[in-house]
Amino acid sequence: MRWENLTPDSEHSRADAALFGAEAVITRTFDMPEFRGITFHEIRARSIVNRVPGASRMPFEWTVNPYRGCTHACVYCFARKTHSYLDLDTGLGFDSQIVVKTNAPELLRRRLSSRSWQGEHIAMGTNVDCYQRAEGRYRLMPGILAALRDHANPFSILTKGTLILRDLPLLRQAAEVTDVGISVSVGFTDETLWRTVEPGTPAPERRLDVVRALAGHGIGCGVLMAPVIPFLSDRPDQLRATVRAIAAAGATSVTPLVLHLRPGAREWFMSWLARHHPHLVDRYQRLYAEGAYAPKWYQRRITRQVHELAQEYGIGPAGAGMPRRIRPAAPAEPPTAEPTQLTLL
Ligand code: SF4
């Protein structure tokens, strides 16, 4: 293990702290194989509950994000741009320079206890994955879930991480006193595509195992089918295979979301595309000529196809057949506004 900035008073540490909006920063690396090449910036954050900007079309107002950067390393990740706000690289840096808000549980507990807090819904996993690999080491989510449970505060989680199953007892306890929404993100089931475009994530089938396990414990879980990647995962047979697998896992709902390419993600994705699928570069430039989003006609086509398949495979509407207090996290249309801390996995 290597430590840097051990003295919070050092010039370097003070500069980092100001940049990260933190009281102090400790940077360290671990030698274990699962964290090789990854640098953790441990910070004592000043706040943990963030308000979604008013212009956003998200169906929630408050978010909690204990991490910045994500070792799941999805090439298309919509959150890449947010790393530039920390003066960190949005490509490999986003995958390997992880900011950890080590005091997230205590900050949240304090905020939930404050008189100004009205008990609003809190969404997690809306910027980066709160169950990414780092969570296995830092274990911030148990403290966060315990605080939400103790205050009976409604919340939702969107994740690609199988680690969420570790916290099943806490999720169940929370669901006894408040509304809990859980969604897992699975855009496709093609293993070859997964290995190159989502290299740090659990395999799609393992993520569907999470849906299966939650359903087995009576916890309804929706699937955010995101992203559907044009020309790589959008063939009718691919959509069918994915929806069929989602249905077989017992998902309570499926919500498709077509790839969008905001600045930060766009450059990284396009360089990946040029390396792995060079024949598609021109088609992408045409499809995304108007900006970050694929044309409406394309989005509508995918949505219709997925909804028809969901009906065929009997995936019910959100909330059907679930315990009253446990609902799939409500995914939303992506915001049209320029990046906030909100991206959706
Ligand atoms: S898309 Fe989600 S899981 Fe993938 S790198 Fe981004 S935050 Fe992590």
Side-chain angles (χ1 to χ4, degrees), residues 289-309:
E290 301 296 318
Y293 297 95
K296 284 275 179 224
W297 63 262
Y298 179 88
Q299 295 187 46
R300 281 195 207 104
R301 193 186 85 197
I302 297 295
T303 302
R304 179 176 44 76
Q305 284 176 294
V306 170
H307 284 166
E308 284 171 6
L309 287 163

Side-chain angles (χ1 to χ4, degrees), residues 69-80 94-95 125 127-129 132 159-160 198 201 343-345:
C70 185
T71 50
H72 281 161
C74 305
V75 173
Y76 53 75
C77 180
F78 321 141
R80 290 186 177 279
F94 177 83
D95 307 338
N127 182 30
V128 301
D129 203 326
Q132 59 177 286
T159 185
K160 284 190 178 96
E198 298 171 338
T201 60
T343 55
L344 289 181
L345 294 176

Side-chain angles (χ1 to χ4, degrees), residues 209-240:
D209 285 344
V210 170
V211 178
R212 211 170 272 117
L214 290 170
H217 283 82
I219 298 181
C221 178
V223 169
L224 180 62
M225 192 170 151
V228 174
I229 306 181
F231 320 127
L232 290 171
S233 73
D234 65 347
R235 284 197 324 264
D237 62 304
Q238 291 173 307
L239 296 179
R240 177 174 288 280

Side-chain angles (χ1 to χ4, degrees), residues 40-116:
F40 294 99
H41 304 277
E42 297 179 357
I43 69 170
R44 287 193 61 79
R46 296 203 176 100
S47 64
I48 194 67
V49 182
N50 298 309
R51 184 173 218 146
V52 178
S56 168
R57 288 191 278 139
M58 294 294 174
F60 42 78
E61 201 178 344
W62 301 94
T63 62
V64 164
N65 289 295
Y67 300 99
R68 297 184 73 171
C70 185
T71 50
H72 281 161
C74 305
V75 173
Y76 53 75
C77 180
F78 321 141
R80 290 186 177 279
K81 172 82 176 168
T82 61
H83 241 39
S84 66
Y85 308 155
L86 303 175
D87 255 2
L88 294 172
D89 171 54
T90 57
L92 274 183
F94 177 83
D95 307 338
S96 60
Q97 303 278 325
I98 309 300
V99 178
V100 184
K101 301 172 189 173
T102 54
N103 58 339
E106 73 188 67
L107 279 179
L108 177 61
R109 204 170 269 279
R110 202 183 309 156
R111 182 75 174 101
L112 297 181
S113 303
S114 73
R115 262 192 267 159
S116 61

